[in-house]
mmCIF file of all heavy atoms in Angstrom:
data_model
loop_
_atom_site.group_PDB
_atom_site.id
_atom_site.type_symbol
_atom_site.label_atom_id
_atom_site.label_comp_id
_atom_site.label_asym_id
_atom_site.label_seq_id
_atom_site.Cartn_x
_atom_site.Cartn_y
_atom_site.Cartn_z
ATOM 1 N N VAL A 1517 43.977 85.714 79.400
ATOM 2 C CA VAL A 1517 44.344 86.261 78.094
ATOM 3 C C VAL A 1517 43.516 87.485 77.722
ATOM 4 O O VAL A 1517 43.857 88.226 76.797
ATOM 5 C CB VAL A 1517 44.197 85.154 77.019
ATOM 6 C CG1 VAL A 1517 42.725 84.952 76.666
ATOM 7 C CG2 VAL A 1517 45.032 85.488 75.777
ATOM 8 N N GLY A 1549 50.681 88.797 67.383
ATOM 9 C CA GLY A 1549 50.522 87.435 67.880
ATOM 10 C C GLY A 1549 50.622 87.434 69.397
ATOM 11 O O GLY A 1549 51.479 88.122 69.974
ATOM 12 N N ILE A 1550 49.756 86.671 70.046
ATOM 13 C CA ILE A 1550 49.699 86.646 71.512
ATOM 14 C C ILE A 1550 49.943 85.228 72.010
ATOM 15 O O ILE A 1550 49.350 84.270 71.495
ATOM 16 C CB ILE A 1550 48.328 87.150 72.023
ATOM 17 C CG1 ILE A 1550 48.047 88.568 71.501
ATOM 18 C CG2 ILE A 1550 48.265 87.105 73.545
ATOM 19 C CD1 ILE A 1550 46.626 89.046 71.780
ATOM 20 N N ALA A 1551 50.800 85.086 73.024
ATOM 21 C CA ALA A 1551 51.036 83.782 73.656
ATOM 22 C C ALA A 1551 50.955 83.968 75.162
ATOM 23 O O ALA A 1551 51.607 84.849 75.738
ATOM 24 C CB ALA A 1551 52.404 83.237 73.268
ATOM 25 N N LEU A 1552 50.122 83.138 75.802
ATOM 26 C CA LEU A 1552 49.938 83.204 77.254
ATOM 27 C C LEU A 1552 50.815 82.159 77.934
ATOM 28 O O LEU A 1552 50.963 81.032 77.448
ATOM 29 C CB LEU A 1552 48.465 82.949 77.590
ATOM 30 C CG LEU A 1552 48.058 83.099 79.066
ATOM 31 C CD1 LEU A 1552 48.209 84.547 79.514
ATOM 32 C CD2 LEU A 1552 46.616 82.618 79.260
ATOM 33 N N SER A 1554 52.266 79.296 80.377
ATOM 34 C CA SER A 1554 51.680 78.082 80.957
ATOM 35 C C SER A 1554 52.796 77.204 81.481
ATOM 36 O O SER A 1554 53.978 77.425 81.187
ATOM 37 C CB SER A 1554 50.861 77.316 79.894
ATOM 38 O OG SER A 1554 51.748 76.720 78.956
ATOM 39 N N ASN A 1556 53.476 74.400 80.560
ATOM 40 C CA ASN A 1556 54.013 73.570 79.489
ATOM 41 C C ASN A 1556 55.284 74.145 78.857
ATOM 42 O O ASN A 1556 56.016 73.436 78.172
ATOM 43 C CB ASN A 1556 52.952 73.383 78.391
ATOM 44 C CG ASN A 1556 51.730 72.636 78.918
ATOM 45 O OD1 ASN A 1556 51.852 71.779 79.790
ATOM 46 N ND2 ASN A 1556 50.561 72.978 78.385
ATOM 47 N N HIS A 1557 55.515 75.426 79.076
ATOM 48 C CA HIS A 1557 56.699 76.053 78.494
ATOM 49 C C HIS A 1557 57.921 75.762 79.370
ATOM 50 O O HIS A 1557 57.975 76.156 80.543
ATOM 51 C CB HIS A 1557 56.501 77.561 78.365
ATOM 52 C CG HIS A 1557 55.464 77.944 77.369
ATOM 53 N ND1 HIS A 1557 54.182 78.321 77.733
ATOM 54 C CD2 HIS A 1557 55.492 77.988 76.015
ATOM 55 C CE1 HIS A 1557 53.480 78.601 76.656
ATOM 56 N NE2 HIS A 1557 54.246 78.415 75.585
ATOM 57 N N ASN A 1562 60.527 79.444 74.157
ATOM 58 C CA ASN A 1562 59.390 78.680 73.622
ATOM 59 C C ASN A 1562 58.150 79.567 73.536
ATOM 60 O O ASN A 1562 57.408 79.518 72.550
ATOM 61 C CB ASN A 1562 59.080 77.475 74.501
ATOM 62 C CG ASN A 1562 60.218 76.472 74.553
ATOM 63 O OD1 ASN A 1562 60.437 75.802 75.555
ATOM 64 N ND2 ASN A 1562 60.989 76.370 73.449
ATOM 65 N N LEU A 1563 57.946 80.374 74.551
ATOM 66 C CA LEU A 1563 56.780 81.267 74.580
ATOM 67 C C LEU A 1563 56.921 82.349 73.501
ATOM 68 O O LEU A 1563 55.936 82.711 72.834
ATOM 69 C CB LEU A 1563 56.656 81.904 75.967
ATOM 70 C CG LEU A 1563 55.392 82.723 76.243
ATOM 71 C CD1 LEU A 1563 54.158 81.831 76.172
ATOM 72 C CD2 LEU A 1563 55.475 83.386 77.613
ATOM 73 N N ASN A 1565 58.527 82.048 70.699
ATOM 74 C CA ASN A 1565 58.267 81.398 69.404
ATOM 75 C C ASN A 1565 56.773 81.236 69.157
ATOM 76 O O ASN A 1565 56.289 81.389 68.025
ATOM 77 C CB ASN A 1565 58.954 80.033 69.349
ATOM 78 C CG ASN A 1565 60.476 80.169 69.270
ATOM 79 O OD1 ASN A 1565 60.978 81.172 68.788
ATOM 80 N ND2 ASN A 1565 61.173 79.146 69.731
ATOM 81 N N ASP A 1566 56.036 80.905 70.219
ATOM 82 C CA ASP A 1566 54.578 80.759 70.090
ATOM 83 C C ASP A 1566 53.945 82.079 69.651
ATOM 84 O O ASP A 1566 53.055 82.104 68.795
ATOM 85 C CB ASP A 1566 53.968 80.315 71.421
ATOM 86 C CG ASP A 1566 54.320 78.870 71.765
ATOM 87 O OD1 ASP A 1566 54.845 78.165 70.879
ATOM 88 O OD2 ASP A 1566 54.092 78.458 72.923
ATOM 89 N N ALA A 1567 54.412 83.181 70.260
ATOM 90 C CA ALA A 1567 53.870 84.496 69.896
ATOM 91 C C ALA A 1567 54.211 84.833 68.447
ATOM 92 O O ALA A 1567 53.391 85.427 67.720
ATOM 93 C CB ALA A 1567 54.423 85.561 70.845
ATOM 94 N N ASP A 1568 55.397 84.427 68.009
ATOM 95 C CA ASP A 1568 55.815 84.679 66.628
ATOM 96 C C ASP A 1568 54.923 83.895 65.647
ATOM 97 O O ASP A 1568 54.485 84.425 64.607
ATOM 98 C CB ASP A 1568 57.280 84.279 66.481
ATOM 99 C CG ASP A 1568 57.881 84.729 65.160
ATOM 100 O OD1 ASP A 1568 57.373 85.717 64.603
ATOM 101 O OD2 ASP A 1568 58.848 84.097 64.691
ATOM 102 N N ILE A 1569 54.653 82.653 65.992
ATOM 103 C CA ILE A 1569 53.782 81.830 65.139
ATOM 104 C C ILE A 1569 52.386 82.436 65.045
ATOM 105 O O ILE A 1569 51.779 82.522 63.969
ATOM 106 C CB ILE A 1569 53.703 80.387 65.695
ATOM 107 C CG1 ILE A 1569 55.072 79.702 65.545
ATOM 108 C CG2 ILE A 1569 52.608 79.597 64.997
ATOM 109 C CD1 ILE A 1569 55.161 78.373 66.267
ATOM 110 N N ALA A 1570 51.879 82.904 66.223
ATOM 111 C CA ALA A 1570 50.543 83.519 66.248
ATOM 112 C C ALA A 1570 50.517 84.797 65.411
ATOM 113 O O ALA A 1570 49.523 85.100 64.735
ATOM 114 C CB ALA A 1570 50.154 83.822 67.695
ATOM 115 N N MET A 1571 51.628 85.546 65.410
ATOM 116 C CA MET A 1571 51.687 86.780 64.616
ATOM 117 C C MET A 1571 51.564 86.480 63.118
ATOM 118 O O MET A 1571 50.847 87.179 62.384
ATOM 119 C CB MET A 1571 52.987 87.534 64.912
ATOM 120 C CG MET A 1571 53.103 88.881 64.200
ATOM 121 S SD MET A 1571 53.813 88.726 62.530
ATOM 122 C CE MET A 1571 55.463 88.186 62.910
ATOM 123 N N ARG A 1573 50.063 83.944 61.803
ATOM 124 C CA ARG A 1573 48.664 83.559 61.560
ATOM 125 C C ARG A 1573 47.794 84.802 61.403
ATOM 126 O O ARG A 1573 46.913 84.862 60.538
ATOM 127 C CB ARG A 1573 48.148 82.700 62.711
ATOM 128 C CG ARG A 1573 48.779 81.313 62.768
ATOM 129 C CD ARG A 1573 48.279 80.567 64.006
ATOM 130 N NE ARG A 1573 48.913 79.236 64.119
ATOM 131 C CZ ARG A 1573 48.788 78.459 65.195
ATOM 132 N NH1 ARG A 1573 48.052 78.869 66.238
ATOM 133 N NH2 ARG A 1573 49.385 77.276 65.232
ATOM 134 N N GLN A 1577 45.563 86.647 58.001
ATOM 135 C CA GLN A 1577 44.147 87.041 58.022
ATOM 136 C C GLN A 1577 43.931 88.422 57.402
ATOM 137 O O GLN A 1577 42.803 88.834 57.174
ATOM 138 C CB GLN A 1577 43.642 87.052 59.466
ATOM 139 C CG GLN A 1577 43.707 85.693 60.143
ATOM 140 C CD GLN A 1577 43.379 85.772 61.638
ATOM 141 O OE1 GLN A 1577 42.804 86.768 62.084
ATOM 142 N NE2 GLN A 1577 43.708 84.727 62.384
ATOM 143 N N PHE A 1582 44.885 90.395 65.086
ATOM 144 C CA PHE A 1582 45.665 89.730 66.120
ATOM 145 C C PHE A 1582 45.190 88.290 66.248
ATOM 146 O O PHE A 1582 44.040 87.970 65.933
ATOM 147 C CB PHE A 1582 45.619 90.458 67.467
ATOM 148 C CG PHE A 1582 44.284 90.401 68.156
ATOM 149 C CD1 PHE A 1582 43.926 89.298 68.965
ATOM 150 C CD2 PHE A 1582 43.372 91.454 68.056
ATOM 151 C CE1 PHE A 1582 42.707 89.266 69.627
ATOM 152 C CE2 PHE A 1582 42.167 91.422 68.717
ATOM 153 C CZ PHE A 1582 41.824 90.318 69.501
ATOM 154 N N ALA A 1583 46.095 87.422 66.682
ATOM 155 C CA ALA A 1583 45.762 86.004 66.872
ATOM 156 C C ALA A 1583 46.393 85.510 68.146
ATOM 157 O O ALA A 1583 47.476 85.973 68.560
ATOM 158 C CB ALA A 1583 46.260 85.185 65.678
ATOM 159 N N ILE A 1584 45.702 84.543 68.800
ATOM 160 C CA ILE A 1584 46.187 83.956 70.050
ATOM 161 C C ILE A 1584 46.713 82.565 69.736
ATOM 162 O O ILE A 1584 46.053 81.766 69.068
ATOM 163 C CB ILE A 1584 45.062 83.878 71.104
ATOM 164 C CG1 ILE A 1584 44.485 85.279 71.357
ATOM 165 C CG2 ILE A 1584 45.558 83.267 72.399
ATOM 166 C CD1 ILE A 1584 43.224 85.275 72.174
ATOM 167 N N PHE A 1585 47.923 82.285 70.230
ATOM 168 C CA PHE A 1585 48.494 80.964 70.002
ATOM 169 C C PHE A 1585 47.682 79.911 70.751
ATOM 170 O O PHE A 1585 47.320 80.079 71.911
ATOM 171 C CB PHE A 1585 49.944 80.929 70.478
ATOM 172 C CG PHE A 1585 50.609 79.582 70.232
ATOM 173 C CD1 PHE A 1585 51.173 79.288 69.006
ATOM 174 C CD2 PHE A 1585 50.624 78.614 71.232
ATOM 175 C CE1 PHE A 1585 51.751 78.058 68.773
ATOM 176 C CE2 PHE A 1585 51.213 77.377 71.021
ATOM 177 C CZ PHE A 1585 51.774 77.089 69.778
ATOM 178 N N SER A 1586 47.418 78.836 70.060
ATOM 179 C CA SER A 1586 46.669 77.733 70.704
ATOM 180 C C SER A 1586 47.141 76.417 70.130
ATOM 181 O O SER A 1586 47.734 76.363 69.049
ATOM 182 C CB SER A 1586 45.161 77.925 70.482
ATOM 183 O OG SER A 1586 44.867 77.951 69.092
#
Side-chain angles (χ1 to χ4, degrees):
V1517 77
I1550 303 171
L1552 185 66
S1554 72
N1556 297 327
H1557 293 101
N1562 297 148
L1563 188 63
N1565 290 334
D1566 289 349
D1568 190 26
I1569 292 170
M1571 184 273 294
R1573 290 176 182 171
Q1577 298 172 17
F1582 69 85
I1584 303 169
F1585 182 84
S1586 59

